[in-house]
Amino acid sequence: MIIGVLKEVHPGETRCALIPSSVDRLVKKGAQISVEAGLGSTIGVTDSEYQKAGATIDSRTNILKNADMVLRLRKPPVEEVALLKKDSIHISFLDPFNEKGLVAELAKNNISALSMEMIPRSTRAQKMDALSSQANLAGYVTVVLSAERLPKIFPMLMTPAGTIQPARVFIIGAGVAGLQAIATAKRLGARVEAFDTRPVVKEQVQSLGAKFVEIDLGETGQTAQGYAKALTPEQIKKQQDGMAKVCTQSDVVITTAQLFGRKAPVLLNKEMIAQMKPGSIIVDMAVETGGNVEGSKVNEEVITDNGVRIIGLGNLPGKVAVHASQMYSANLHNLIEEYWDKDAKAFKLNIEDEIIKGALITHQGAVVNEMVKNIK
Ligand code: NAD
């Protein structure tokens, strides 16, 4: 089986899908790996390191034409789909809820497309969960970014020149990214508070040494996959009222609230931001999915009239591309190894398997994923 790995073409993308140690593992299992020339250039990995690990270096055109399985990180450009080998397997993030045209094209060209966003949240699938591996790093980056931009330090300092109070950090949304943000801010010495609509999160927040902000929203709950459910407009209003005072007192507010497959909820409005202290920082981690913060802009830092800096930088895991690539690459080799047929020396697409069933979007000329089929 030829597994081809393509360079990322999205502007500014610094991560890459597979690193040499994963190549080595898969080659030892009998895979033939072809990587596009220059694949690791953005993370300081040379073609000869891939060759040493057992890969051959090839052109993009050849890989698209010959590979039985194509790996990449971002969704494929729609014009490349028709160039893929018929009946080949394609694994990447796909954004299938928003990419109807791309999904239709993959089906039309008989590609079996696995979407990394759709890997189920089960214990067995944890090692393949790229949403989590990348969110974890993004959470870290939000804190490091805000610590650098804040005109204050994070820890408490008691010196002959006086006492400095610790920075106050408020994290909204305590999922994978939010919990890492809490842990990172605590390590830097900040006083951390957090809120999430899923009640199960309270204990996790407290176990990291942060304070959980109590806001009674009535029934909230979570889906079977552990994702938050959308709030009613009345609940959002209650949440905003409950958070307003904490925001006013905070030096840094980091928002990570997402609703799987839907637009992110707007949680910080202009009135709340107008009450915040000059020099304080907001990082909107949801900026690429619609934004949690009124006025945030993708890939921009906006300074409001009252001197609050709203950071809306996209692709946060890309800021730590070496480790982001390492983790994504491990997610991929774990996925491939899980379904590797030793005798056939090939990946077996077992469509009855729960993980494959969850992540397979198109197969044999059709859209097969129930959730994606049902998008209106
Ligand atoms: P996510 O990225 O979809 O959302 C981030 C967070 O935003 C979530 O915690 C969500 O509850 C929160 N949120 C949504 N609306 C909000 C609002 N109005 N106000 C405040 N917060 C809001 O979620 P995620 O981080 O990818 O995962 C969510 C949970 O799933 C995690 O806490 C984790 O426990 C669980 N999980 C389980 C597995 C597994 O079992 N294999 C793997 C990954 C994650």
Side-chain angles (χ1 to χ4, degrees):
M1 177 174 216
I2 302 178
I3 302 179
V5 195
L6 296 176
K7 263 176 90 163
E8 297 301 309
V9 287
H10 185 81
E13 184 53 82
T14 45
R15 295 168 290 174
C16 81
L18 208 69
I19 63 168
S21 57
S22 298
V23 170
D24 182 55
R25 287 174 75 125
L26 296 173
V27 166
K28 284 194 176 124
K29 295 222 168 320
Q32 270 179 271
I33 312 248
S34 279
V35 309
E36 185 178 350
L39 176 70
S41 60
T42 50
I43 56 164
V45 178
T46 60
D47 286 351
S48 71
E49 286 173 83
Y50 280 106
Q51 280 171 318
K52 261 187 227 143
T56 50
I57 309 297
D58 209 342
S59 69
R60 193 173 189 90
T61 322
N62 280 345
I63 293 174
L64 286 165
K65 194 167 69 187
N66 299 325
D68 304 299
M69 171 186 273
V70 166
L71 307 178
R72 60 175 125 205
L73 192 136
R74 295 236 181 202
K75 60 193 167 197
V78 69
E79 63 278 8
E80 270 190 356
V81 173
L83 306 176
L84 291 163
K85 187 169 165 180
K86 295 283 164 288
D87 294 314
S88 61
I89 300 171
H90 187 282
I91 311 183
S92 69
F93 282 118
L94 260 191
D95 196 11
F97 295 105
N98 298 309
E99 288 289 349
K100 257 191 151 173
L102 174 61
V103 168
E105 185 70 5
L106 286 159
K108 191 178 121 195
N109 285 279
N110 270 41
I111 307 301
S112 298
L114 289 161
S115 162
M116 291 304 279
E117 292 93 337
M118 302 292 283
I119 296 280
R121 253 78 201 276
S122 61
T123 307
R124 185 161 70 95
Q126 265 178 341
K127 60 187 177 186
M128 313 165 198
D129 183 350
L131 268 188
S132 292
S133 70
Q134 303 303 297
N136 195 335
L137 294 172
Y140 165 88
V141 172
T142 58
V143 175
V144 174
L145 259 181
S146 46
E148 196 272 326
R149 301 290 200 277
L150 187 72
K152 290 183 174 183
I153 62 167
F154 269 34
M156 180 176 186
L157 273 195
M158 291 170 87
T159 80
T163 299
I164 292 177
Q165 293 304 321
R168 292 187 67 160
V169 176
F170 181 29
I171 316 272
I172 303 170
V176 178
L179 290 174
Q180 182 57 255
I182 295 171
T184 307
K186 284 297 290 180
R187 275 184 220 121
L188 285 177
R191 189 173 149 191
V192 185
E193 290 168 277
F195 177 71
D196 197 296
T197 53
R198 291 179 302 120
V200 294
V201 172
K202 178 176 172 178
E203 216 178 275
Q204 296 165 8
V205 167
Q206 289 171 336
S207 72
L208 289 169
K211 184 176 165 215
F212 189 78
V213 175
E214 303 280 355
I215 305 169
D216 184 7
L217 299 177
E219 181 65 32
T220 49
Q222 61 181 40
T223 67
Q225 289 280 313
Y227 291 115
K229 290 187 178 164
L231 300 182
T232 63
E234 294 74 35
Q235 285 176 312
I236 292 264
K237 174 79 178 60
K238 264 193 196 167
Q239 181 179 350
Q240 288 172 329
D241 291 345
M243 296 190 312
K245 185 156 171 253
V246 188
C247 290
T248 314
Q249 293 166 345
S250 297
D251 298 296
V252 173
V253 178
I254 295 172
T255 69
T256 77
Q258 300 277 4
L259 297 167
F260 187 70
R262 313 171 66 156
K263 191 182 164 301
V266 179
L267 302 175
L268 256 62
N269 59 31
K270 289 214 164 98
E271 292 71 44
M272 293 161 81
I273 299 167
Q275 298 304 314
M276 288 176 63
K277 289 179 282 192
S280 51
I281 309 281
I282 301 172
V283 183
D284 185 356
M285 216 193 91
V287 69
E288 286 172 310
T289 49
N292 291 147
V293 182
E294 210 179 331
S296 67
K297 294 206 170 97
V298 179
N299 286 330
E300 282 188 36
E301 295 192 27
V302 177
I303 313 246
T304 63
D305 292 343
N306 60 322
V308 175
R309 181 186 291 265
I310 307 174
I311 302 178
L313 301 182
N315 191 8
L316 296 172
K319 306 261 178 287
V320 287
V322 169
H323 284 144
S325 305
Q326 181 186 320
M327 289 170 92
Y328 185 79
S329 180
N331 295 141
L332 286 184
H333 76 228
N334 286 327
L335 171 62
I336 296 169
E337 284 174 0
E338 184 81 10
Y339 301 99
W340 193 255
D341 183 325
K342 270 195 294 197
D343 303 322
K345 291 194 169 37
F347 181 90
K348 194 156 174 260
L349 193 71
N350 177 1
I351 54 170
E352 296 308 318
D353 178 274
E354 280 308 307
I355 298 173
I356 298 291
K357 223 189 254 174
L360 189 65
I361 308 300
T362 58
H363 185 54
Q364 294 180 338
V367 179
V368 293
N369 187 282
E370 289 304 319
M371 274 170 91
V372 175
K373 261 201 280 190
N374 292 334
I375 313 169
K376 290 179 191 92

